[in-house]
Amino acid sequence: MFVKVLGMSVIGMESYPVFVEVDISQGLPQFATVGLPDASVKESKDRIKAAIKNSGYRFPRSHVTVNLAPADIKKEGTGFDLPIAVGILAAEELIKEDALRKFVFIGELSLDGSIKGVSGVLTAAFKAKEIGIQAIFVPGENAAEAAMVKGINVFGIKTLPDLVEFLNGRKNIEPLSLDINRVFQKTRQYEVDFNEIKGQRQALRALEIAAAGGHNVLMIGPPGSGKSMLAKRLPTILPDLSFDEAIEVTKVFSVAGSLNKDEMLIAARPFRSPHHTISDAGLVGGGQMPRPGEISLAHLGVLFLDELPEFKRNALEALRQPLEEGAITITRSSITASFPAKFMLVAAMNPCPCGYFGDRIRTCRCSPQQIRQYQGKISGPLLDRIDLHIEVPSVKYRALSDKELGESSSTIKDRVNSARSLQKKRFGNNSIICNARMTERQIKNFCLIDEDSHKLIEMAIEKLGLSARAINRILKVSRTIADLENKENIESAHVAEAIQYRSLDRNLI
């Protein structure tokens, strides 16, 4: 008997329907899976056999052929276990075939017949709705994630017998219903605040500018000066994600398999802080079937690279394209996948190998050559793509012992939101939403400066040897400073302050 069941697979950020065709015919007992399955799909036959038998059903003692169509695209993952098992049971007439036509099945089977969670369920639910599917059956632990999609019934199934009984009309299972607005508001909380920062007024000012314009930041300072504390609190002053943006971020985490079991929506700005030993593929994404890397997991949030010179040079250089394009495309021999990567890069480094060059308290033990070699690990093209270079000195004890709280994140966020509103109004319906993403044409239109500002930039070029890209960065930062002050035109004071945030363009030694 022949049966067709609908499943889903993922390529990059998009799901596509896979027709699981099951044919049971006379012949020697055999279980064959065709249609370019990978190792995890080929191994499913043993899981499926055990799950069907341990659920109290008879596995056919015949020739079982499973085809995954379209057969020219490689299939991977354990999410095909459930549709294959349903197809076999339907072919054995243990499930009514007419009940399967408008459903999608996704899930991994345990040997005892229970259904385990898989990745990519959110994108699968969106695709199922798009192609007109009435309902989607997913593992119970993925049900809340899929329920974020409006307009499709989502059934969370815990065991194979529960699904069989429901499809045969002998058991009632209600589709999961969630108050999406309530979930959205509940998951937007942060556990840290800028009022916990002591001292570092210049760094706080620079991070406010960075948040207002979406600019990349590099902090230079000795160990213990608070660089990591500052970076971790940056998401708290960024504008709140909209619901559509939250779904976009959650999709990336879903595809990467990085959603926690109790997590159904990521409504707070993501903050990713990979270790400096990370590989190129771990940072930008990759694999035989490409998966998102840390830059995509930081989409619409913050990517924090601590100890920047310790990262592999190849990994750092791979950041250059996504920093400019806001996306990363990974090509393999048989597949090409694109992932979003609109993130704010926040990096931190010591000024020298020992960390205390220029410190007011500790003495540096490094030679000038060692310092130059250490700072030279960061290439010029990468530095050009970082808008603000901030010096973060060690904090004096008097500032640390001050019991008075600093300015709260909510207060700073209000100013950031006001500046972002001006930018949104300026760019109109354009896809660009912040100053850091301005194109060459927009810089010419919106970053007009007076004669005094031209002279300042000319002096900076002569003394610092700035590139054309660095000059554009200065103009973008100047525009953001003017927006924070609610000024229509860029003034020379704004340009002067922006030039001050290019410390690594001049020799620190």
Side-chain angles (χ1 to χ4, degrees):
M1 186 176 177
F2 173 80
V3 172
K4 185 184 290 186
V5 179
L6 189 58
M8 286 282 177
S9 189
V10 178
I11 295 180
M13 289 298 300
E14 296 296 327
S15 284
Y16 66 95
V18 174
F19 292 96
V20 179
E21 301 171 345
V22 178
D23 179 73
I24 298 179
S25 58
Q26 293 182 351
L28 294 174
Q30 186 180 359
F31 192 152
T33 305
V34 297
L36 283 183
D38 74 342
S40 62
V41 180
K42 289 179 180 177
E43 290 173 354
S44 67
K45 62 182 181 181
D46 296 316
R47 291 193 299 270
I48 294 167
K49 280 182 182 179
I52 289 177
K53 288 179 180 178
N54 293 328
S55 297
Y57 306 109
R58 180 177 60 85
F59 190 84
R61 296 179 180 177
S62 308
H63 188 94
V64 179
T65 303
V66 176
N67 178 45
L68 305 176
D72 60 338
I73 301 176
K74 189 163 187 176
K75 321 299 186 308
E76 73 160 7
T78 56
F80 294 109
D81 289 9
L82 187 59
I84 292 174
V86 168
I88 292 172
L89 293 173
E92 286 287 281
E93 299 183 347
L94 296 172
I95 294 177
K96 297 176 182 178
E97 185 184 352
D98 57 355
L100 308 178
R101 293 175 183 173
K102 294 188 178 180
F103 299 150
V104 167
F105 300 89
I106 303 170
E108 176 187 334
L109 286 174
S110 290
L111 300 185
D112 62 355
S114 59
I115 302 173
K116 300 171 67 176
V118 295
S119 60
V121 167
L122 183 61
T123 58
F126 271 104
K127 189 63 178 181
K129 177 187 174 183
E130 180 185 324
I131 62 177
I133 298 299
Q134 292 181 349
I136 182 170
F137 291 86
V138 300
E141 61 189 75
N142 293 128
E145 174 190 342
M148 288 295 106
V149 182
K150 301 176 183 177
I152 186 171
N153 291 323
V154 176
F155 293 91
I157 306 298
K158 295 183 177 180
T159 67
L160 184 59
D162 286 345
L163 178 59
V164 173
E165 294 298 297
F166 173 74
L167 292 175
N168 288 330
R170 293 193 292 266
K171 184 172 184 176
N172 183 41
I173 300 176
E174 293 295 328
L176 182 62
S177 179
L178 293 176
D179 186 343
I180 296 178
N181 289 329
R182 185 167 174 268
V183 172
F184 181 53
Q185 295 298 328
K186 185 179 178 181
T187 55
R188 293 170 74 172
Q189 306 301 320
Y190 295 97
E191 297 179 356
V192 293
D193 197 286
F194 262 111
N195 61 15
E196 300 157 352
I197 300 292
K198 304 293 184 181
Q200 305 297 7
R201 290 186 179 179
Q202 183 181 2
L204 287 169
R205 165 68 174 171
L207 288 182
E208 181 179 338
I209 294 169
H215 302 289
N216 302 318
V217 178
L218 173 60
M219 295 183 283
I220 310 107
S225 57
K227 301 185 293 294
S228 297
M229 281 187 69
L230 288 162
K232 289 176 182 177
R233 283 154 181 77
L234 181 57
T236 67
I237 63 172
L238 293 173
D240 291 329
L241 290 174
S242 66
F243 179 74
D244 289 340
E245 288 175 330
I247 288 290
E248 197 175 337
V249 172
T250 308
K251 276 185 178 182
V252 179
F253 277 75
S254 176
V255 169
S258 299
L259 276 179
N260 297 326
K261 289 183 179 180
D262 56 345
E263 213 169 18
M264 59 194 80
L265 183 69
I266 297 176
R269 297 268 178 184
F271 178 85
R272 304 294 297 184
S273 180
H275 193 260
H276 60 76
T277 57
I278 191 171
S279 66
D280 304 5
L283 189 62
V284 301
Q288 187 175 2
M289 288 291 285
R291 285 286 181 267
E294 288 291 333
I295 63 170
S296 294
L297 292 170
H299 179 56
L300 299 180
V302 173
L303 176 68
F304 178 49
L305 302 183
D306 200 7
E307 306 295 342
L308 186 66
E310 304 300 331
F311 282 79
K312 297 175 184 176
R313 190 176 185 90
N314 288 344
L316 292 181
E317 295 307 307
L319 288 175
R320 286 158 56 177
Q321 185 217 355
L323 280 172
E324 290 290 326
E325 304 295 332
I328 182 73
T329 300
I330 301 168
T331 302
R332 296 291 178 263
S333 58
S334 60
I335 195 171
T336 298
S338 294
F339 301 103
K342 292 180 180 177
F343 59 92
M344 279 184 63
L345 174 63
V346 179
M349 61 179 284
N350 297 328
C352 66
C354 79
Y356 295 103
F357 172 69
D359 189 54
R360 295 171 298 203
I361 301 172
R362 302 284 295 271
T363 302
C364 175
R365 304 188 302 271
C366 306
S367 68
Q369 183 180 0
Q370 287 176 316
I371 297 173
R372 288 191 186 94
Q373 287 177 345
Y374 184 77
Q375 295 177 359
K377 290 181 180 180
I378 314 301
S379 70
L382 181 60
L383 281 177
D384 276 351
R385 288 168 170 81
I386 299 177
D387 303 354
L388 294 94
H389 307 161
I390 313 168
E391 295 182 47
V392 185
S394 57
V395 184
K396 293 182 178 179
Y397 174 73
R398 189 178 293 268
L400 288 173
S401 60
D402 189 359
K403 294 183 179 179
E404 186 177 348
L405 292 175
E407 199 171 26
S408 69
S409 292
S410 59
T411 303
I412 302 173
K413 183 190 277 191
D414 288 340
R415 296 196 294 269
V416 169
N417 284 334
S418 297
R420 287 286 185 110
S421 296
L422 289 175
Q423 294 164 45
K424 186 176 181 180
K425 183 178 179 181
R426 178 183 302 127
F427 300 129
N429 295 325
N430 201 298
S431 59
I432 293 174
I433 59 172
C434 61
N435 289 334
R437 297 284 174 187
M438 278 194 286
T439 62
E440 292 283 343
R441 179 178 295 180
Q442 289 168 329
I443 291 173
K444 291 180 180 178
N445 291 338
F446 302 128
C447 297
L448 301 176
I449 55 176
D450 57 22
E451 188 59 33
D452 289 340
S453 299
H454 278 296
K455 291 179 180 178
L456 281 172
I457 293 179
E458 187 176 2
M459 290 173 58
I461 292 173
E462 291 176 0
K463 291 186 177 182
L464 305 180
L466 299 178
S467 68
R469 183 181 283 114
I471 294 167
N472 283 344
R473 301 286 174 186
I474 289 173
L475 291 174
K476 291 177 181 180
V477 173
S478 302
R479 179 67 268 173
T480 300
I481 297 171
D483 290 340
L484 280 169
E485 296 181 5
N486 199 20
K487 297 288 181 67
E488 184 176 350
N489 299 317
I490 297 175
E491 300 174 359
S492 58
H494 305 147
V495 175
E497 183 177 0
I499 292 172
Q500 290 300 310
Y501 297 126
R502 302 296 305 182
S503 61
L504 279 187
D505 289 324
R506 61 181 185 268
N507 291 326
L508 292 181
I509 59 174

